[in-house]
Structure formats: structure tokens, C-alpha cells
Amino acid sequence: MKSLKASTNITKTIIYVVCIFLAILSVFPFLVMFINATRSTFQIQQDSVSLLPSKYLASNWAVFKGKSFNPVVGFVNSMLSSGGATLCAVYFSSLTAYALVAYSWKLRQPFFTFILAVLMIPAQVTGIGFYQFMYRIGWTNSLLPLIIPAIASPSMVFFMRQYLLATLSLDIVNSARIDGAGEFYTFNRIILPIMKPAMATQAIFTFVFSWNSLFIPLILLTNSKKYTMPIMVSLLRGDIYKTEYGAVYLGLSLTVLPLFVIYFLLSKYIIAGVALGALKE
Amino acid sequence: MRNKGVNYAKYGYIFSIPFVLTFLIFSLYPTIFTAVIGFTDLRGMGRTDFKFLKQPFDNFVLILNNPTFRKSLGNTALIWIMNFIPQILLSLLLTAWFTTRRFKVKGQGAFKVLLYMPNIITAATIAILFNSLFGYPKGPVNDLFMRFGWLDAPTNFHMQKWTARGVVAFIQFWMWYGNSMIVLIAGVLGIDPTLFEAAEIDGATSTQIFFKITLPRLKTILLYVLITSMIGGLQMFDIPRLFLWGGPDSATLTASLFIYNQAFSGSYLYNRAAAASMIMFFIIVVLSVALFHLMRDKDEAKFRKAEKLRIRNAKKQGELV
């Protein structure tokens, strides 16, 4: 018994060492980034890893303003497109899921099977057709093609359906009917509030996913006034910043900052959401 | 409900209209359109007019024989494997540690939050950050390795093919192992706890419990992680593009990056890119079919179980009456 306890203690020590190492591995690159954002290019060239912030934040910022990188434009465009996509996805996925759960109609099962079938089909591999289509109708350099397609989000419909199956009692719907409520009114005023927890989780993921996406925005947006954040970021890889190390780190920090705020405010829900996503089968 | 004279079924159709319309226009149509473009001569920046080729499969034949496309598929597979094997092994190990009751690991919540964090950060940002971190001749990684004495002189990581592939694979691994771990832990928590209790009473060691009880019960979830990771890996684009533009010497050129370069640079070969896309699409469909069966079987199994229970209960009640 004693030796078991001893071996448990050794294993526990190993576990903590490994976990702490992995935690540092997660944080360290971002730490270097934030600190180097406050250091001058000369300091970074002398020694690129420092745990002490310096005082060159303002001068790094000044390097930016002279160049084409405009984080404010990117931030606004990303906010509009990700916010719009999230609203569309959450509302219409809930509506579709409600149609699948609350009503019995002939095509219900085939429709659900269809949603399962297209669950994993990514937009990226059909990007060429999508680009040509958008080009023809004049929707390139518009945020609309980043927002409207979110109305059909199969995986979110799937998730919302599972949630409704577990939580919705049709008695509520029936009593609303007896009180004379229309079906659409019932959905908006009674069902949506019930779905709030699921909507919140899904909203976070859709927002982050949309905020981070690069491929489709990159092929559609050529006007720098319409650039989203990830496209703005990709400019930092260009020649104009080749020797401006401090400015590059500052630019990267600016794009990460909003995500850090979201993550550390909502991490509890995000982790729970990831776990839930796995159990959706 | 049904005998009250109101037919509610039509609302099922009405409420599904926005989804179906959007899907048809923005998903199905572009898919078919991409397939069609693969059989045409559509190329050149800003062109929209096209003719079908006399030899309809020309683009497909050319793409399949294109050494760069083959190389890009090979790179995609290599980088995916180099990321997935360590990813699944580490996440399984962490899952075992976090769920074994004997260890009672403290601070699990904080560890999960930190290990998952890289997953939500913009991949484009991470690619450029790592490009800077592996800078040459001065860069954080070079500086650290020299400080620890692992390197005598600064190394130009960006010029070595295997190092570049390794870094891309490492970034993928680093961004995704936390996600896999959380998914697997959730899977373990879904296993009937009495199984573990029984095994413990029978004197099984925690290693035995993990390999004989936990792993077999995680089979579906492991398959789910595997397939979703494969589908995601096939589309790897942001990181290889922004880390080294697919270089050095096309060592990190992935299939998605190849398609992008065909269609949106050089001579804007939309038709070739479309043909390559369709080949990728076909691979993803095959993987999706596997996933679809996995998900549906579970759903149906649940349904059948509920049905059985209902019948049994009905029988029981019948007996009582």
C-alpha cells in the first residue's frame, strides 16, 4: 500500500510538471509578442526574448500609422461581418431546429438526414464556384457574402435540435396555442428565451470562427477598405514591415487582444461548449 | 393534438424555408458551379465567360499529373500525420491523467483554459507570430536555443524543408491538442461510473482500467476526433500560407494553398483550381460519409433503445392491468 502511494505521488509530480510546461507553452509565444510590442526594433535585434516591457509602444504605433495597416478598419469590418453572421446563424438555426422538433411533417426525417449529410462539407473546397458566383452578381468587396450564407449552418441546426429535444416540452407550445398565440409569435416570444443558453454557446463559437476565417474573405475582398482583421494581419507579413520588428509584434498584439478579452471572460462557457460539442452524437 | 382540426405540419415546412433557400443558393449552387468550371476553359483575371472543353476531363488529367499538386497532397498528408499522432497521444495521456480518480489533479479547470487557448486565436496571427519567433539570424527561438546551449550558431529555420514542415505541424498540434483533450475528457465523463467502481473493487490498476474500459468505450469519440481532424487538415491554408508562403521550395505547400495559387495568382487558372477542388471535395465527401454513418448509427441506436423501453413499459403496464 505504501509503495502504491509513493508511486502515485511520483506520477502526480510528473503530471503537474508536464501540465505546467504545457501551460507555459500556450502562454509564452503570446507573452513574447506582447512584450516585444513595447520594445524598439533595436532592442529586439539585440535580444529578442525579454520578460521586461520597454517604453517604445508609442513609437511602434507611429510606424504603423505611416503604412497601409489600419487595424481600426479591420476591426470594424470584422465586427460587422462576424456579428451579422452570428445573428443570422443563431436565429435561423434555432428556427430550423424548432421546425424539426415541434412539428411532425412528412419530410422531417429526410430533412434531418440531409442536414447530417452536409454537416461537414466545407465552404473552402467550393470557393472557386462561390467566387465566380459572387463576382457575377457584384458581391465581391462586400461583407454580405460573409454574412448571408450563415443562415444555413447545418452543424448549428444539429446542435440546436439536440438541445430542443432535451429541453422543450410540447405542452408549452400547446398552451400557447390555446391562448391564441400564432406559431411565429410562439417561436419568437416563448421558444427563443428557452434556447438562450444554447444560443449563447453557439454564438461564441460562430463569432470566433467567423472572426478568424481567412480563405473566403481573402478571395472576395480586394479593396483595403473592406479588409477583415485576418487579411489586415496578413499585410504584416509583407515587405513594408520587413525590418520593423516592434511594429509587427504590436500589430499582431492588436489583433489578438479582442480574442483574449472574449476568451478570458467567457472561457468557462467556451470549454463547456467544446465538451458539449463532442457529446452531440 | 391532431384531432383539433388545425394542421400545424405546414409550419415545419415554412420555418425551414430560410435554411433551405440559403443552402441551395450559397452552398449547393457554388458546389455545382465549381464542378462545372472544372470542365471548362475558364481562366484569366476577372473573366466570367467560358466554353466547355472538347476533352471534358482535360483539367482533371492535367491536375492529377501535375507534380506540384501531387507534392501538395503529399505535404498535406505528411503535415497532418506529423500533427495528429503526437496530438492524439498527448490528449489521451492528459485525458487519462485528468480522469483517473486516484490522481485527483488540482487546477484542472485552469489547465483546460490555458491548454485550449491557442485554438481560439486567429490562425493568420499565429502563423505570422511563429514566423517572427523563428526569425533568423535574431529571433526568440534562436536566442533561447543558443542560451540553453542547444545551438552553437543561429539556424535559418525557414530554409530547411523538414524544419519548416515540422513547425507547421507543431503549430497545428499546439492549436488543437487542447480541443481533442476536452472532447475526450467529456467522452470519459459520459461513461457509466459504475464500470470504473466495479473495476476498482476487482483490483484493476489504473493502467488496466484505461486500456480495458476507457479506451474501448471511447472508440466512437476517437473516430469522431480522427475524421473531423482529417477534414480540417485537408483544408489547411492559413498557417502554411502566412508562415512561409508554402516554402521553402514548396515544402509546406498544402493542397488548399495550391488551389488558391492556381486560381488567384499567375494566370488565374480557375478551371484547374476547380478541378483540384473537386478532387479534394471527393476525398472530403468520402470522409463525411464515414462520419455520417458514425453519427446516424448513434442517433438511431438511441432511438431504438427509447422505443424498446417504451414497449417494455407498455408491456409491464399491460401486465399490471
Side-chain angles (χ1 to χ4, degrees), chain A residues 8 12 16 25-26 45-48 114 120 122 124-125 129 136 177 183 212 233 237 255 259 263 278, chain B residues 8 34 48 102-103 106 113-114 120 122 125 128 138-140 143 147 174 183 235 242-243 256 277 291:
Chain A
T8 305
K12 273 181 91 166
Y16 284 114
L25 197 64
S26 282
Q45 274 177 328
Q46 288 307 302
D47 187 0
S48 48
F114 168 77
M120 293 303 296
Q124 196 167 312
V125 288
R136 278 158 195 244
R177 277 177 191 152
E183 294 303 300
N212 288 342
V233 174
R237 195 59 182 81
T255 63
L259 288 168
Y263 186 62
Chain B
Y8 290 110
T34 307
T48 52
R102 188 156 60 84
F103 297 140
K106 288 197 189 87
V113 168
L114 287 171
I120 65 133
T122 317
T125 303
I128 298 175
K138 293 295 287 182
D143 283 7
R147 207 176 289 174
W174 179 71
V183 168
Q235 301 172 72
L242 291 173
F243 181 56
S256 280
S277 298
L291 191 67

Side-chain angles (χ1 to χ4, degrees), chain A residues 67-181:
Chain A
K67 302 195 176 169
S68 56
F69 186 88
N70 192 337
V72 179
V73 170
F75 186 81
V76 170
N77 284 331
S78 277
M79 267 310 213
L80 287 174
S81 61
S82 308
T86 306
L87 286 179
C88 281
V90 169
Y91 183 80
F92 288 103
S93 301
S94 307
L95 186 67
T96 315
Y98 183 62
L100 279 168
V101 173
Y103 304 103
S104 62
W105 37 301
K106 220 183 221 163
L107 292 177
R108 171 159 84 163
Q109 197 51 41
F111 183 50
F112 179 62
T113 310
F114 168 77
I115 285 179
L116 275 184
V118 297
L119 209 54
M120 293 303 296
I121 301 297
Q124 196 167 312
V125 288
T126 59
I128 308 295
F130 190 69
Y131 169 77
Q132 280 283 330
F133 177 33
M134 291 299 119
Y135 189 79
R136 278 158 195 244
I137 62 171
W139 273 24
T140 52
N141 284 320
S142 154
L143 298 179
L144 284 179
L146 307 180
I147 298 172
I148 307 291
I151 292 172
S153 308
S155 57
M156 204 197 286
V157 173
F158 183 81
F159 182 87
M160 290 298 192
R161 174 186 174 267
Q162 306 306 93
Y163 184 79
L164 270 183
L165 278 179
T167 52
L168 180 72
S169 112
L170 286 178
D171 295 342
I172 301 174
V173 181
N174 284 329
S175 52
R177 277 177 191 152
I178 291 162
D179 292 343

Side-chain angles (χ1 to χ4, degrees), chain A residues 4 8 11-12 14-16 18-20 22-23 25-30 32-33 45-49 92 95-96 98-99 103-107 111-122 124-126 128-136 139 148-149 151-154 157-158 161-162 174 177 183-184 187 205 208 211-212 214-215 218-219 230 233-234 237 248-249 252 255-256 259-260 263-264 267 270-271 274-275 277-281, chain B residues 1-2 8-9 11-13 15-16 18-20 22-23 25-26 29-31 33-34 37 42 46-50 90 94 97-98 102-106 111-118 120-122 124-126 128-133 138-140 143-144 147 170 174 177 179 182-183 186-187 220-221 224 228 231 235 237-238 241-245 256 259-260 263-264 270 273-274 277-278 280-281 284-285 288 291-292 295-296 298-299 302:
Chain A
L4 182 70
T8 305
T11 321
K12 273 181 91 166
I14 295 172
I15 293 174
Y16 284 114
V18 170
C19 286
I20 290 168
L22 290 172
L25 197 64
S26 282
V27 176
F28 188 70
F30 299 111
V32 170
M33 174 184 77
Q45 274 177 328
Q46 288 307 302
D47 187 0
S48 48
V49 184
F92 288 103
L95 186 67
T96 315
Y98 183 62
Y103 304 103
S104 62
W105 37 301
K106 220 183 221 163
L107 292 177
F111 183 50
F112 179 62
T113 310
F114 168 77
I115 285 179
L116 275 184
V118 297
L119 209 54
M120 293 303 296
I121 301 297
Q124 196 167 312
V125 288
T126 59
I128 308 295
F130 190 69
Y131 169 77
Q132 280 283 330
F133 177 33
M134 291 299 119
Y135 189 79
R136 278 158 195 244
W139 273 24
I148 307 291
I151 292 172
S153 308
V157 173
F158 183 81
R161 174 186 174 267
Q162 306 306 93
N174 284 329
R177 277 177 191 152
E183 294 303 300
F184 197 57
F187 172 74
F205 285 103
V208 170
W211 181 278
N212 288 342
L214 176 69
F215 189 83
L218 193 64
I219 62 177
V233 174
S234 68
R237 195 59 182 81
V248 169
Y249 282 114
L252 293 172
T255 63
V256 169
L259 288 168
F260 261 69
Y263 186 62
F264 286 108
S267 60
I270 294 176
I271 301 292
V274 178
L279 296 175
K280 68 188 171 188
E281 316 98 284
Chain B
M1 234 196 301
R2 235 176 257 150
Y8 290 110
Y11 289 100
Y13 292 98
F15 287 179
S16 307
F19 179 97
V20 173
T22 311
F23 183 85
I25 298 171
F26 291 99
Y29 177 64
T31 308
F33 200 20
T34 307
I37 292 171
L42 184 61
R47 288 277 299 277
T48 52
D49 55 312
F50 56 77
L90 180 62
L94 290 169
W97 283 349
F98 281 180
R102 188 156 60 84
F103 297 140
K104 290 195 201 81
V105 178
K106 288 197 189 87
F111 283 131
K112 279 184 194 168
V113 168
L114 287 171
L115 303 194
Y116 179 74
M117 187 185 69
I120 65 133
I121 307 296
T122 317
T125 303
I126 287 180
I128 298 175
L129 175 60
F130 273 75
N131 180 276
S132 305
L133 294 180
K138 293 295 287 182
D143 283 7
L144 279 182
R147 207 176 289 174
F170 173 78
W174 179 71
Y177 79 89
N179 185 79
I182 292 170
V183 168
T220 318
I221 290 192
Y224 169 83
T228 49
I231 294 175
Q235 301 172 72
F237 175 78
D238 308 16
R241 175 176 160 84
L242 291 173
F243 181 56
L244 290 171
W245 308 115
S256 280
I259 291 171
Y260 177 84
F264 300 101
Y270 299 120
S277 298
M278 278 299 119
M280 293 260 292
F281 187 77
I284 290 177
V285 165
S288 291
L291 191 67
F292 170 73
M295 310 271 268
R296 199 194 49 177
K298 264 221 142 176
D299 207 64
K302 229 185 233 166

Side-chain angles (χ1 to χ4, degrees), chain B:
Chain B
M1 234 196 301
R2 235 176 257 150
N3 49 24
K4 280 193 186 144
V6 185
N7 180 15
Y8 290 110
K10 68 174 184 204
Y11 289 100
Y13 292 98
I14 294 172
F15 287 179
S16 307
I17 288 174
F19 179 97
V20 173
L21 273 185
T22 311
F23 183 85
L24 291 178
I25 298 171
F26 291 99
S27 278
L28 189 65
Y29 177 64
T31 308
I32 296 171
F33 200 20
T34 307
V36 169
I37 292 171
F39 296 102
T40 68
D41 65 348
L42 184 61
R43 59 162 79 177
M45 191 179 173
R47 288 277 299 277
T48 52
D49 55 312
F50 56 77
K51 281 199 298 282
F52 283 98
L53 296 172
K54 284 195 186 93
Q55 303 284 325
F57 289 100
D58 258 7
N59 289 324
F60 290 89
V61 173
L62 273 168
I63 280 293
L64 283 173
N65 287 322
N66 183 328
T68 318
F69 180 64
R70 288 185 176 186
K71 189 172 185 188
S72 75
L73 275 182
N75 285 336
T76 310
L78 264 179
I79 294 173
W80 180 78
I81 292 168
M82 283 161 70
N83 123 70
F84 188 74
I85 292 175
Q87 179 190 323
I88 202 71
L89 290 178
L90 180 62
S91 36
L92 272 174
L93 181 68
L94 290 169
T95 303
W97 283 349
F98 281 180
T99 54
T100 303
R101 275 176 296 175
R102 188 156 60 84
F103 297 140
K104 290 195 201 81
V105 178
K106 288 197 189 87
Q108 279 194 31
F111 283 131
K112 279 184 194 168
V113 168
L114 287 171
L115 303 194
Y116 179 74
M117 187 185 69
N119 195 268
I120 65 133
I121 307 296
T122 317
T125 303
I126 287 180
I128 298 175
L129 175 60
F130 273 75
N131 180 276
S132 305
L133 294 180
F134 282 88
Y136 172 82
K138 293 295 287 182
V141 175
N142 259 322
D143 283 7
L144 279 182
F145 280 12
M146 280 169 63
R147 207 176 289 174
F148 292 143
W150 296 341
L151 281 177
D152 297 327
T155 307
N156 193 343
F157 297 104
H158 298 333
M159 292 308 290
Q160 299 172 343
K161 287 187 187 185
W162 281 100
T163 315
R165 280 191 196 119
V167 174
V168 173
F170 173 78
I171 298 174
Q172 297 281 347
F173 156 83
W174 179 71
M175 284 181 79
W176 285 97
Y177 79 89
N179 185 79
S180 300
M181 174 193 79
I182 292 170
V183 168
L184 292 174
I185 290 177
V188 174
L189 295 180
I191 300 172
D192 184 359
T194 54
L195 280 175
F196 296 118
E197 280 158 22
E200 262 170 28
I201 291 167
D202 290 347
T205 65
S206 42
T207 319
Q208 280 174 325
I209 293 178
F210 183 74
F211 283 101
K212 301 271 160 124
I213 297 177
T214 316
L215 262 189
R217 301 243 150 201
L218 278 182
K219 215 171 79 190
T220 318
I221 290 192
L222 277 170
L223 260 172
Y224 169 83
V225 171
L226 173 77
I227 297 174
T228 49
S229 168
M230 278 176 121
I231 294 175
L234 267 171
Q235 301 172 72
M236 216 186 310
F237 175 78
D238 308 16
I239 289 169
R241 175 176 160 84
L242 291 173
F243 181 56
L244 290 171
W245 308 115
D249 193 20
S250 303
T252 58
L253 185 84
T254 56
S256 280
L257 194 46
F258 172 84
I259 291 171
Y260 177 84
N261 289 343
Q262 288 277 304
F264 300 101
S265 68
S267 34
Y268 292 79
L269 303 170
Y270 299 120
N271 52 354
R272 303 274 161 76
S277 298
M278 278 299 119
I279 294 166
M280 293 260 292
F281 187 77
F282 177 75
I283 302 173
I284 290 177
V285 165
V286 171
L287 291 173
S288 291
V289 168
L291 191 67
F292 170 73
H293 280 286
L294 196 72
M295 310 271 268
R296 199 194 49 177
D297 289 351
K298 264 221 142 176
D299 207 64
E300 266 181 12
K302 229 185 233 166
F303 181 74
R304 274 199 298 269
K305 217 175 179 182
E307 197 69 357
K308 244 188 214 162
L309 206 75
R310 204 177 56 82
I311 293 168
R312 200 188 298 154
N313 285 342
K315 265 188 194 157
K316 253 188 204 159
Q317 273 172 1
E319 276 163 23
L320 286 175
V321 171

